[in-house]
């Protein structure tokens, strides 16, 4: 039975990979609708022929890697179960220490290590791809350092989860998922509070904006929206990437707007102010807190479904998967696999909400700055720097895009321009 499950899993993954290869490279059409040709949203108007070719090539390969990586994680956890490796991890942990907490840590480190090794090739391919297309400027040692930081942060998080969740499972077989969710609320808020001051600085250096003239302009813009501009930071990303970015992070007193130095180096003050107005909109409309509430709601539903699925799977295929009981630590790969599947399945919903919020932020920036040229040229430069498709395939947009497409964003500004002109006439 275990062999059949493994075989079916590998066949399903192969067919899935084949489908997305065909979809991305042969079926999907990324050309612009006729009515947008020649507009400022048309990449042919702001990218040269080589940039157009590279953006199509890079986007297709990058999107394929995205669609391959998450289901590969599911296949990995399935193999860990059916081969008895999860059993072996527990056995090695039991032989290493008599203390339960230490045994849990040893089990988790083995699972984390095998996951790191299994997913490393795809991670390296993604890194090499971005290097070859001149998106990444990061050296291999620097990249490996970030990978190792990811590993230890992932291990630490996983250790906390497995310790708490399986303790709750033993205390309450039926309601553990509800108690786990209750504990996840303060934990999530605590991590988000620490993110800007503890976790992010592990990867890069953050400091207040250096350009004092630009800072004065941002202060003036921020005062219109009643936003504490002392929360604007820049980060040294030029040693790692040529891409441009700005984002909102943290909650409470640790909340801040972050600008990559690549953004500061390549965009004009007017373009940066447009980006700042966009990020300020997230503060004004409380998007961060709405996002947290949405995440917590989805996690409640997700944990309930996970609990029900784990019970059903263990009752039906527990012997084949070498899981004697749901509350046995050997079921942890199954727990992670189901959660990952549910997150992937729910990503169209979370991305839809995110695209709506980002669209609202774009409208806010347009109304606040009244600088449509800066908005359009900013989005054009973002497309050029990241070699991103202006009009990506539908499935890519649904599963990958937390922002509106560049076609939608630039077209929105052009429509605003037309509306403003007609009102003046």
């Amino acid at each position: 039975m275990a062999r059949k499950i493994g075989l079916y899993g590998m066949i399903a993954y192969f067919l899935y990979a084949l489908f997305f290869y065909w979809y991305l490279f042969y079926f999907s059409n990324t050309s612009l609708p006729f009515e947008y040709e020649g507009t400022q949203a048309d990449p042919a108007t702001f990218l040269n022929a080589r940039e157009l070719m590279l953006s199509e090539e890079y986007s297709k390969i990058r999107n394929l890697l995205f669609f391959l990586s998450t289901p590969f994680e599911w296949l990995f956890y399935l193999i860990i179960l059916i081969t008895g490796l999860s059993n072996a991890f527990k056995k090695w942990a039991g032989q290493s220490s008599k203390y339960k907490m230490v045994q849990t840590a040893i089990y988790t480190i083995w699972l984390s290590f095998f996951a790191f090794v299994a997913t490393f090739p795809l991670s390296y391919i993604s890194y090499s791809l971005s290097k070859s297309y001149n998106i990444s400027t990061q050296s291999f040692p620097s990249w490996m350092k970030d990978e190792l930081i990811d590993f230890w942060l992932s291990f630490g998080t996983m250790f906390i989860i497995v310790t708490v969740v399986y303790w709750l499972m033993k205390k309450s077989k039926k309601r553990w998922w509800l108690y786990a969710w209750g504990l996840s609320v303060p934990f999530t808020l605590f991590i988000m509070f620490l993110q800007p001051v503890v976790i992010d600085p592990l990867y890069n250096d953050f400091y207040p904006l250096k350009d004092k003239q630009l800072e004065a302009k941002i202060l003036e813009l921020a005062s219109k929206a009643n936003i504490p501009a002392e929360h604007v930071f820049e980060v040294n990303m030029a040693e790692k990437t040529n891409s441009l970015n700005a984002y909102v992070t943290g909650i409470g007193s640790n909340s801040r707007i972050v600008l990559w130095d690549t953004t500061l180096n390549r965009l004009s003050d007017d373009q940066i102010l447009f980006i700042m107005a966009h990020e300020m909109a997230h503060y004004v409309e409380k998007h961060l807190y709405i996002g947290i509430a949405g995440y917590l709601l989805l996690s409640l539903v997700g944990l309930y479904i996970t609990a029900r699925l784990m019970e059903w799977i263990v009752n039906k295929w527990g012997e084949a998967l070498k899981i004697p009981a749901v509350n046995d630590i050997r079921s942890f790969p199954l727990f992670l696999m189901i959660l990952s599947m549910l997150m992937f399945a729910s990503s169209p919903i979370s991305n839809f909400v995110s695209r709506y919020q980002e669209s609202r932020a774009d409208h806010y920036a347009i109304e606040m700055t009244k600088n449509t040229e800066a908005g359009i040229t900013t989005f054009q430069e973002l497309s050029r720097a990241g070699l991103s498709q202006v009009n990506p395939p539908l499935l890519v947009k649904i599963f990958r895009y937390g922002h509106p497409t560049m076609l939608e964003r630039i077209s929105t500004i052009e429509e605003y321009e037309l509306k403003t002109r007609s009102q003046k006439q």
Side-chain angles (χ1 to χ4, degrees), residues 60-333:
K60 285 178 179 178
I61 301 171
R62 184 183 59 174
N63 290 332
L64 180 62
L65 287 172
F66 166 80
F67 283 111
L68 292 182
S69 60
T70 303
F72 180 79
E73 181 184 342
W74 310 340
L75 184 62
F76 164 76
Y77 288 130
L78 181 62
I79 291 172
I80 288 291
L81 290 169
I82 63 176
T83 57
L85 275 173
S86 186
N87 236 336
F89 297 158
K90 183 177 180 180
K91 182 180 177 181
W92 298 340
Q95 292 172 345
S96 302
S97 175
K98 63 179 180 179
Y99 298 106
K100 190 67 177 177
M101 190 73 73
V102 178
Q103 291 175 1
T104 302
I106 293 171
Y107 176 93
T108 308
I109 197 73
W110 276 114
L111 181 60
S112 300
F113 173 74
F114 272 73
F116 179 82
V117 171
T119 57
F120 184 82
L122 280 175
S123 298
Y124 181 74
I125 290 170
S126 180
Y127 162 71
S128 298
L129 176 71
S130 60
K131 284 281 283 188
S132 62
Y133 281 86
N134 201 34
I135 302 297
S136 173
T137 58
Q138 191 173 17
S139 66
F140 179 76
S142 173
W143 177 77
M144 272 304 303
K145 176 190 171 185
D146 286 351
E147 288 291 299
L148 291 174
I149 292 172
D150 285 344
F151 171 82
W152 287 111
L153 287 176
S154 176
F155 163 72
T157 305
M158 196 180 293
F159 173 67
I160 293 170
I161 291 171
V162 73
T163 302
V164 173
V165 167
Y166 281 82
W167 178 76
L168 291 172
M169 283 180 177
K170 293 185 187 301
K171 293 293 182 181
S172 177
K173 292 183 179 180
K174 291 186 177 180
R175 293 190 179 86
W176 65 264
W177 58 272
L178 182 60
Y179 303 138
W181 177 80
L183 290 174
S184 75
V185 175
F187 179 74
T188 300
L189 296 176
F190 179 66
I191 292 298
M192 294 194 71
F193 183 77
L194 289 183
Q195 179 98 23
V197 294
V198 176
I199 299 174
D200 290 344
L202 295 174
Y203 296 90
N204 299 98
D205 295 326
F206 292 77
Y207 29 79
L209 198 60
K210 294 177 182 176
D211 187 334
K212 296 308 175 184
Q213 289 185 338
L214 178 59
E215 183 182 48
K217 294 178 183 178
I218 293 174
L219 282 169
E220 183 182 353
L221 192 68
S223 66
K224 297 178 183 178
N226 298 315
I227 292 172
E230 65 267 22
H231 289 169
V232 179
F233 284 74
E234 61 177 285
V235 54
N236 61 328
M237 289 298 296
E239 62 185 26
K240 292 185 177 181
T241 183
N242 285 318
S243 294
L244 313 181
N245 196 19
Y247 59 90
V248 178
T249 186
I251 57 174
S253 60
N254 281 350
S255 60
R256 59 178 62 172
I257 295 173
V258 178
L259 278 164
W260 288 9
D261 59 352
T262 51
T263 303
L264 294 166
N265 294 338
R266 293 181 59 170
L267 298 185
S268 67
D269 282 6
D270 284 345
Q271 291 170 326
I272 291 170
L273 289 173
F274 184 88
I275 291 176
M276 285 287 93
H278 171 100
E279 298 302 334
M280 288 173 187
H282 293 306
Y283 273 121
V284 172
E285 301 201 359
K286 311 297 182 185
H287 288 164
L288 194 60
Y289 298 99
I290 294 171
I292 292 171
Y295 167 77
L296 293 175
L297 177 62
L298 281 176
S299 66
L300 174 62
V301 176
L303 281 170
Y304 171 76
I305 296 173
T306 299
R308 299 286 79 82
L309 284 176
M310 285 184 74
E311 188 175 346
W312 177 68
I313 291 171
V314 171
N315 287 337
K316 192 166 186 178
W317 294 295
E319 186 177 348
L321 297 175
K322 300 174 179 59
I323 303 173
V326 170
N327 61 8
D328 190 292
I329 196 172
R330 285 170 284 187
S331 71
F332 189 51

Side-chain angles (χ1 to χ4, degrees), residues 335-373:
F335 173 83
L336 294 175
M337 180 172 69
I338 294 172
L339 274 185
S340 178
M341 287 178 169
L342 292 176
M343 288 175 65
F344 185 76
S346 66
S347 60
I349 299 172
S350 55
N351 284 340
F352 176 81
V353 173
S354 176
R355 286 195 300 271
Y356 172 75
Q357 291 180 339
E358 295 295 340
S359 177
R360 292 275 301 175
D362 284 347
H363 281 284
Y364 183 92
I366 295 166
E367 292 288 349
M368 190 177 207
T369 64
K370 307 293 184 184
N371 194 336
T372 55
E373 182 183 354

